[in-house]
Amino acid sequence: AREGRGAAAPGSSAAGTGSAMDAPSAAGLGGADPQLQRFIEVETQKQRFQQLVHQMTELCWEKCMDKPGPKLDSRAETCFVNCVERFIDTSQFILNRLEQTQKSKSAFSESLSD
């Protein structure tokens, strides 16, 4: 493994947020065709997924690959498996935490309006 690397891959955000090149959100289209809105939502979701895969690949490659060769050794293979599992676990934890935070904010806002 390489030393001195941070948790996030160079040039990527740790939270996996979109960039300025993201497709416009469907909510920003107002009265646009619902089919078009759905298409944009799906394509935006695909783009975010591809960004996560790219981020994970870059991070795990930097962490686990000492010297590329014709075959993965067992140490590198184990490292990749663990890296991918930790990346997925961490991403899921962050999503769940954000969801909980959003729900608690909504509940707090509703209690203020009562």
Side-chain angles (χ1 to χ4, degrees), residues 102-114:
Q102 189 64 33
K103 285 180 182 176
S104 65
K105 283 182 181 179
S106 295
F108 180 72
S109 296
E110 288 175 13
S111 69
L112 288 178
S113 64
D114 288 343

Side-chain angles (χ1 to χ4, degrees), residues 13-76:
S13 64
T17 56
S19 66
M21 295 188 61
D22 277 352
S25 69
L29 294 175
D33 178 18
Q35 205 172 12
L36 176 61
Q37 288 178 340
R38 180 69 186 138
F39 173 78
I40 290 173
E41 288 171 6
V42 168
E43 291 302 311
T44 301
Q45 192 172 23
K46 285 181 190 176
Q47 180 185 17
R48 287 186 182 137
F49 179 75
Q50 288 173 340
Q51 287 172 335
L52 275 176
V53 169
H54 176 75
Q55 182 182 6
M56 178 185 63
T57 302
E58 191 172 4
L59 175 72
C60 293
W61 181 268
E62 290 295 322
K63 185 178 190 96
C64 299
M65 205 60 197
D66 290 329
K67 53 185 188 287
K71 205 171 152 183
L72 276 182
D73 62 13
S74 62
R75 186 207 59 81

